[in-house]
Amino acid sequence: MEVTSRYVTIKHHITGSPKQSDFEVKTANLFLSLDTGSNDVLVKNLYVSIDPYQLNRMKEYSASQMASEYALAVLPGQAINAYGVGRVIASANPSYIKDDMIVGLIGWEDYTLVRGKDVIMIRKLDSTEFPLSYHVSALGLSGLTAYGGFFNVCKPKKGETLFVSAASGSVGNIVGQYAKLFGCYVVGCAGTKQKVDLLTDKLGFDAAFNYKKTTDLNSTLKRYFPDGIDMYFDNVGGEMLEAAVANMSMFGRVAVCGVISEYTDAKRRAGPNMTEVVYKRITIQGFLASDYMNDFGDFLSTTSDHIQNGRLHVIEDISHNLESIPLAFEGLFAGDNIGKKIVQIADN
Amino acid sequence: MEVTSRYVTIKHHITGSPKQSDFEVKTANLFLSLDTGSNDVLVKNLYVSIDPYQLNRMKEYSASQMASEYALAVLPGQAINAYGVGRVIASANPSYIKDDMIVGLIGWEDYTLVRGKDVIMIRKLDSTEFPLSYHVSALGLSGLTAYGGFFNVCKPKKGETLFVSAASGSVGNIVGQYAKLFGCYVVGCAGTKQKVDLLTDKLGFDAAFNYKKTTDLNSTLKRYFPDGIDMYFDNVGGEMLEAAVANMSMFGRVAVCGVISEYTDAKRRAGPNMTEVVYKRITIQGFLASDYMNDFGDFLSTTSDHIQNGRLHVIEDISHNLESIPLAFEGLFAGDNIGKKIVQIADN
């Protein structure tokens, strides 16, 4: 079995914000080993995730860095793997048959040949009660990041206050919705009026503000949180983290799952006031969705139930065609997307 | 009962590093209410603690700050309370009699009148098997800070690696000793050859270095921790925190109990790379000794036992006379002290 597959790659390592012109579309031939012992699965990709962290993989790193935390660095010309949903078109693996729908690590490409050793990175979608794209957004890693970060890292108590940055983004909007359902006071910030309105009018946030219209973050946060921020879900780092720490209450928790301000500018690094971290006994904790894979079952059933009963809105921003991936990725860093950014590569 | 008591106070709020000339010695008359219902206790102070955090109380704060985290701000002309050991010379409290030895919140003064409502801030010293000063250092809040920070915040596992800054200081030297006794690999840094030698030769640290002779903190730490730092006990913040985070292993923990670099210079704030905090799932947690008061009994028996059996060395730096307090305090920020800085005000 062989298919010709287009894939998106970087022309060169990227410094600063990514531009469409940093990418190109190439073509590869993928061969499925017909031997059952290979356990390979050939997947036609339908929806793929567009995430800011991918930029970190596209930078130039020293060999020692690549060998450690940035093990999945992308080289120019290589295909770029990404989370997504696809349909099995051929299988040499006894667990999968043609037309099975799967979710997991596929790529920014028409087809992904999932090698036998990598089959653990995908799983079968048993149910099709929701639109397939939901498995990339609220029921996928974005949802799990929100779930693990809010429940396990923030460790909320009913009635506590939560501030979430990039609140209309893929993870932030879900964190805010979980927090409201849990019984917290929730304020988010975002970068346009349309996003801010979405947060308060549709998603039920107690308040939201446009950080681009804010001259003094510190006093803005003080106004929204006169008694302090108990939990800050941080997607951006930098000055927002600094201002949030300055406004935290005693024993406040900061969950950090992304640092967009550092991704595009390594030098821009406003630091939190550590004296406040000490006096207020603040905990700042970095985490990744993968830390909470053991909770995936709980996460999926809880979140599915919320969606089914109309308590949780799934906010997606879907573009179409493989060729639109570079623009979609560039747009992430310009704040173009509302909700989870996804590209639909094929209809079925 | 009345005594005339000299006390150290600030002439004005302090900005930057403190100087002797920022202080003056004044005199007050203290009157013990003879009514037993008052529960007052009059204490003659013998040993008092000299701590960097006191500087934060001497700065000028806005009203809202004073009302919250800096509730114990010191005003010019006021007496300055401090941890220490003293002898009861008169008591209107049924729990104390003349000549009881006490430890707790007294002050930088000859005598402290402990009001009935504040008597919970002192406790009787039942045992005199150790020098009295030990109850200000290894058996006092410095020891408790080390104990709570190492065991509860760092959450060590045998065989893990620990880096401790200000390692010859009041808290750092004890953290390093606990960690060696627990079975960790321990490296400390300090600011003179004499301090570095103390760490390796007397206290059993695996290694130590003089940070003032280090041109590149990052690569120095990489040399001492080729496989990464599992735990960093941070007393200084700033660039040391930044370099430690850059060298941490996955799921590393940073315990922050002091930020000397920020105390004397609010603007100097190198921040950790938050992208590394995320990818390496680092936890940075601020804490104070008072958070672990419930562990005081365990701490005291464990630590007394270590000292009694010669497994833990008590490192103290004692000056004499009340008048030497301003110089002792100034010296803290110049790195003059080795071990716990204490001033002995009276012999008995």
Side-chain angles (χ1 to χ4, degrees):
Chain A
M1 179 79 196
E2 174 183 348
V3 294
T4 299
S5 176
R6 295 169 306 159
Y7 67 96
V8 174
T9 186
I10 50 172
K11 293 180 188 166
H12 43 75
H13 288 295
I14 299 180
T15 309
S17 298
K19 297 178 301 298
Q20 277 191 80
S21 56
D22 295 325
F23 296 86
E24 60 187 331
V25 174
K26 292 194 155 190
T27 301
N29 291 318
L30 303 179
F31 302 86
L32 179 73
S33 307
L34 288 176
D35 171 19
T36 307
S38 76
N39 284 319
D40 292 354
V41 177
L42 189 60
V43 175
K44 182 182 181 191
N45 299 332
L46 305 181
Y47 293 92
V48 291
S49 183
I50 310 293
D51 296 299
Y53 83 89
Q54 294 273 31
L55 181 61
N56 293 324
R57 305 176 56 200
M58 298 170 185
K59 296 175 185 171
E60 190 149 41
Y61 292 108
S62 67
S64 73
Q65 280 174 313
M66 282 182 59
S68 57
E69 60 259 47
Y70 300 104
L72 296 172
V74 168
L75 296 177
Q78 279 186 338
I80 298 170
N81 56 18
Y83 196 78
V85 166
R87 186 166 56 79
V88 173
I89 57 166
S91 172
N93 185 308
S95 301
Y96 291 90
I97 58 168
K98 187 167 181 311
D99 291 331
D100 275 349
M101 302 305 298
I102 63 95
V103 62
L105 200 64
I106 51 177
W108 287 355
E109 56 198 358
D110 287 322
Y111 297 90
T112 297
L113 177 62
V114 182
R115 292 289 183 193
K117 67 177 172 51
D118 298 326
V119 163
I120 53 161
M121 306 298 282
I122 62 174
R123 66 181 177 82
K124 210 179 294 191
L125 279 183
D126 296 319
S127 146
T128 51
E129 69 176 312
F130 297 114
L132 287 173
S133 60
Y134 281 23
H135 296 281
V136 183
S137 58
L139 299 175
L141 289 189
S142 299
L144 184 62
T145 303
Y147 188 87
F150 180 63
F151 291 104
N152 297 59
V153 182
C154 289
K155 296 187 181 70
K157 295 187 202 64
K158 277 189 215 313
E160 283 194 322
T161 64
L162 171 81
F163 174 52
V164 53
S165 57
S168 73
S170 59
V171 175
N173 87 79
I174 306 176
V175 170
Q177 293 188 77
Y178 282 142
K180 281 310 300 173
L181 289 167
F182 189 78
C184 295
Y185 169 83
V186 177
V187 177
C189 73
T192 67
K193 181 176 188 310
Q194 190 191 357
K195 292 177 179 178
V196 166
D197 290 347
L198 170 79
L199 298 176
T200 49
D201 299 352
K202 182 164 182 181
L203 303 187
F205 282 45
D206 294 287
F209 66 89
N210 182 344
Y211 71 91
K212 290 183 180 166
K213 302 283 185 194
T214 304
T215 49
D216 182 346
L217 273 177
N218 211 325
S219 64
T220 301
L221 288 176
K222 207 173 291 298
R223 204 163 60 242
Y224 285 109
F225 295 95
D227 299 321
I229 299 168
D230 296 315
M231 303 171 282
Y232 170 43
F233 196 96
D234 185 21
N235 282 297
V236 300
E239 285 139 23
M240 196 70 81
L241 173 60
E242 192 181 1
V245 164
N247 280 282
M248 290 203 88
S249 2
M250 300 290 276
F251 297 97
R253 290 86 66 199
V254 180
V256 191
C257 73
V259 198
I260 292 190
S261 69
E262 283 186 6
Y263 292 174
T264 53
D265 183 355
K267 286 196 200 64
R268 183 176 157 187
R269 196 188 299 168
N273 180 331
M274 296 303 295
T275 303
E276 300 205 67
V277 169
V278 174
Y279 278 89
K280 298 196 289 197
R281 285 81 142 201
I282 293 169
T283 300
I284 301 175
Q285 186 176 343
F287 73 100
L288 294 177
S290 53
D291 301 341
Y292 302 103
M293 274 305 180
N294 288 340
D295 297 330
F296 198 88
D298 288 344
F299 150 71
L300 201 61
S301 67
T302 303
T303 309
S304 299
D305 188 56
H306 283 323
I307 295 173
Q308 229 157 11
N309 290 286
R311 292 188 298 260
L312 193 136
H313 297 276
V314 179
I315 312 294
E316 297 178 328
D317 187 329
I318 302 183
S319 306
H320 299 271
N321 301 321
L322 179 112
E323 286 86 353
S324 73
I325 289 176
L327 179 62
F329 189 63
E330 175 182 328
L332 277 185
F333 297 89
D336 289 348
N337 59 304
I338 298 191
K340 176 67 185 176
K341 186 68 206 178
I342 294 172
V343 171
Q344 181 174 16
I345 296 179
D347 285 338
N348 57 67
Chain B
M1 178 79 196
E2 174 184 350
V3 293
T4 299
S5 175
R6 295 168 307 159
Y7 67 97
V8 174
T9 186
I10 50 173
K11 292 180 188 165
H12 42 74
H13 288 294
I14 298 181
T15 310
S17 299
K19 297 177 301 296
Q20 277 192 81
S21 58
D22 294 326
F23 296 87
E24 60 187 331
V25 174
K26 293 193 155 189
T27 301
N29 291 319
L30 303 179
F31 303 85
L32 179 74
S33 307
L34 289 177
D35 171 18
T36 307
S38 76
N39 285 318
D40 292 354
V41 177
L42 189 60
V43 175
K44 182 181 182 192
N45 300 332
L46 304 181
Y47 294 92
V48 292
S49 183
I50 310 294
D51 295 300
Y53 83 88
Q54 294 273 32
L55 181 60
N56 293 324
R57 305 175 55 200
M58 299 170 185
K59 296 175 185 172
E60 189 149 43
Y61 292 108
S62 67
S64 73
Q65 281 173 312
M66 284 183 57
S68 58
E69 60 260 46
Y70 300 103
L72 297 172
V74 168
L75 296 177
Q78 279 186 340
I80 298 170
N81 56 20
Y83 197 76
V85 166
R87 185 166 57 79
V88 173
I89 56 167
S91 173
N93 185 307
S95 300
Y96 292 89
I97 57 168
K98 190 169 180 309
D99 291 329
D100 276 348
M101 301 304 298
I102 64 95
V103 61
L105 201 64
I106 51 177
W108 288 354
E109 56 197 358
D110 288 322
Y111 298 90
T112 297
L113 176 63
V114 183
R115 293 288 184 194
K117 67 176 171 51
D118 297 325
V119 164
I120 55 161
M121 305 299 281
I122 62 174
R123 67 182 177 82
K124 211 178 295 191
L125 278 183
D126 296 319
S127 146
T128 51
E129 68 176 313
F130 297 114
L132 287 172
S133 61
Y134 282 23
H135 295 281
V136 183
S137 60
L139 299 174
L141 290 189
S142 299
L144 183 63
T145 303
Y147 188 87
F150 181 64
F151 291 105
N152 296 60
V153 182
C154 289
K155 298 187 180 73
K157 296 186 201 66
K158 277 189 217 314
E160 283 194 322
T161 64
L162 171 81
F163 174 53
V164 53
S165 56
S168 73
S170 59
V171 175
N173 87 79
I174 306 176
V175 171
Q177 293 188 78
Y178 282 142
K180 283 308 303 171
L181 289 168
F182 188 78
C184 294
Y185 168 83
V186 177
V187 178
C189 73
T192 67
K193 182 176 187 311
Q194 189 191 357
K195 292 177 180 178
V196 166
D197 290 345
L198 171 80
L199 298 176
T200 50
D201 299 351
K202 182 164 182 180
L203 303 187
F205 282 46
D206 294 287
F209 65 91
N210 183 343
Y211 71 91
K212 288 183 180 165
K213 301 283 186 194
T214 304
T215 49
D216 182 346
L217 273 177
N218 211 325
S219 64
T220 300
L221 288 176
K222 205 173 292 298
R223 205 163 58 243
Y224 285 109
F225 296 94
D227 299 322
I229 299 169
D230 296 317
M231 302 172 283
Y232 171 43
F233 197 97
D234 185 21
N235 282 296
V236 300
E239 285 139 23
M240 196 69 83
L241 173 60
E242 191 182 0
V245 163
N247 280 282
M248 291 204 87
S249 1
M250 300 290 279
F251 297 98
R253 288 86 68 200
V254 180
V256 191
C257 73
V259 198
I260 292 190
S261 69
E262 283 185 6
Y263 293 175
T264 53
D265 183 355
K267 286 195 198 65
R268 184 175 156 188
R269 196 188 298 167
N273 180 331
M274 295 304 294
T275 303
E276 301 205 67
V277 169
V278 174
Y279 277 88
K280 299 197 288 198
R281 284 83 142 198
I282 293 170
T283 302
I284 301 173
Q285 188 177 343
F287 73 99
L288 295 177
S290 53
D291 301 342
Y292 302 104
M293 275 305 182
N294 288 341
D295 296 330
F296 198 88
D298 287 344
F299 150 70
L300 201 61
S301 66
T302 303
T303 309
S304 299
D305 188 55
H306 283 322
I307 295 173
Q308 228 156 10
N309 290 286
R311 292 188 297 261
L312 194 135
H313 297 276
V314 179
I315 313 295
E316 297 178 329
D317 187 330
I318 303 182
S319 306
H320 300 272
N321 300 322
L322 179 111
E323 287 86 352
S324 73
I325 289 176
L327 179 61
F329 190 63
E330 176 182 327
L332 276 185
F333 297 90
D336 289 348
N337 59 303
I338 298 190
K340 177 67 186 177
K341 186 68 206 177
I342 294 171
V343 171
Q344 182 174 17
I345 296 179
D347 286 337
N348 57 66

